[in-house]
Amino acid sequence: MDNETEDIRICSDPSELAAVRARVTTQAEAAGFGDTEVNEIALAVDEALANVIRHGYGGPCDQPIEIRLERINGSEGDAIHITIRDFGRQVDPTQIAGRALEDIKPGGLGVHIIRTVMDQVTYTPADGGGMQLIMTKKRKEQ
Amino acid sequence: MSKTDALSVEVVKHDDGVVVSLVGSASMDLCERLNAALLDVCQTKPRVLVIDLARLDFICSLGLGCIVVAYLRVTKHGGKLMLANPQPTINDMLTTTKLGGLMPVCSSIEEALARR
């Protein structure tokens, strides 16, 4: 197994998201994902960070968010693992769900998008407060 | 980290409706601007509102939410909202969220205006 890891630390400022998307895009491309999957991965990270900023911290722009990007080259195939750790409000993971898309209203699409475009999504309350989200996308064989 | 996103919203009135062109990235920090621009247009109660996505590189779920709000406002007074020219990544997101099935997606502004 040969893994590459990049750690990113940002504040809960929405203006940070574009730069994170750029880093995620670079890592996903380096992992060999195609254009569509690269965009999906960057979108999932953006949505997850937006949820942390809006719901985990509730607005302040100076709270810490830690992001780990891991490119996995393993015997079961290549993948990218993304871990997002915040120190905000803890929630019951079973309560984190996207709304039914048949309800035509503006909010609640982010979790649905994350769960649709990523292969594995796991929310857990983190030791010491806050939440940890681990998302995995496996690279399809070309 | 560097801050690189930008979004401009261009509004052009036609005889057949209003075309709003989104240029750049509709990311979280810029959605307030998008929402305000769309609500300004909705207040004019257009019979047809076309949102041109040809030069939109990225849109987050909040940005889609702004479009949903505009859709609800336009249809409330009997108007129509249509999307035009989405790039493949935007089109994928419309499919993922099923919004592409809610709002007609056209391949050109002209086609959208003609479908009023």
Side-chain angles (χ1 to χ4, degrees):
Chain A
M1 183 178 285
D2 178 22
N3 297 348
E4 296 275 346
T5 299
E6 177 179 2
D7 289 320
I8 303 169
R9 186 178 173 90
I10 64 169
C11 292
S12 54
D13 185 336
S15 67
E16 300 264 23
L17 299 186
V20 175
R21 285 201 306 275
R23 294 305 311 149
V24 172
T25 296
T26 299
Q27 289 288 355
E29 288 174 344
F33 287 96
D35 289 347
T36 298
E37 291 174 314
V38 167
N39 289 322
E40 288 176 347
I41 295 164
L43 175 62
V45 172
D46 188 272
E47 295 293 342
L49 292 172
N51 283 342
V52 169
I53 292 169
R54 295 182 72 210
H55 305 300
Y57 286 124
C61 294
D62 59 352
Q63 299 300 301
I65 304 174
E66 298 172 352
I67 304 148
R68 169 164 288 188
L69 310 175
E70 293 177 88
R71 293 177 359 224
I72 308 295
N73 304 114
S75 57
E76 295 181 3
D78 298 339
I80 187 165
H81 283 308
I82 298 157
T83 304
I84 297 177
R85 168 80 161 95
D86 69 71
F87 302 85
R89 186 169 65 92
Q90 288 196 325
V91 296
D92 178 352
T94 63
Q95 301 303 308
I96 302 173
R99 67 166 169 79
L101 296 182
E102 287 69 25
D103 296 338
I104 303 168
K105 58 184 183 181
L109 293 171
V111 172
H112 174 83
I113 290 169
I114 292 168
R115 292 193 188 279
T116 299
V117 303
M118 300 300 282
D119 293 317
Q120 293 179 337
V121 178
T122 306
Y123 290 92
T124 53
D127 292 340
M131 297 295 291
Q132 178 171 274
L133 166 62
I134 300 177
M135 304 185 285
T136 301
K137 181 85 169 177
K138 297 173 184 173
R139 188 166 69 84
K140 296 180 178 66
E141 294 300 325
Q142 302 297 311
Chain B
M1 302 185 80
S2 62
K3 302 170 182 177
T4 56
D5 264 358
L7 173 71
S8 67
V9 182
E10 302 167 359
V11 180
V12 177
K13 293 180 181 175
H14 295 250
D15 292 340
D16 301 326
V18 178
V19 177
V20 176
S21 298
L22 308 183
V23 184
S25 294
S27 57
M28 182 185 184
D29 51 328
L30 301 172
C31 283
E32 200 169 320
R33 185 187 310 167
L34 172 60
N35 196 48
L38 289 176
L39 291 185
D40 279 349
V41 172
C42 290
Q43 284 179 348
T44 67
K45 298 185 178 180
R47 283 182 300 138
V48 176
L49 172 56
V50 180
I51 300 181
D52 177 24
L53 305 172
R55 291 174 287 165
L56 185 68
D57 303 318
F58 176 82
I59 187 166
C60 67
S61 64
L62 285 175
L64 288 179
C66 296
I67 293 176
V68 171
V69 170
Y71 168 83
L72 293 172
R73 290 197 172 217
V74 168
T75 55
K76 185 177 180 181
H77 61 76
K80 290 184 177 178
L81 186 149
M82 283 172 275
L83 306 175
N85 302 316
Q87 295 186 28
T89 55
I90 306 294
N91 206 33
D92 288 345
M93 197 166 171
L94 295 173
T95 301
T96 298
T97 57
K98 296 186 178 178
L99 291 181
L102 178 68
M103 307 169 200
V105 180
C106 302
S107 57
S108 70
I109 293 171
E110 292 73 21
E111 179 191 342
L113 289 172
R115 286 177 61 170
R116 65 186 187 280

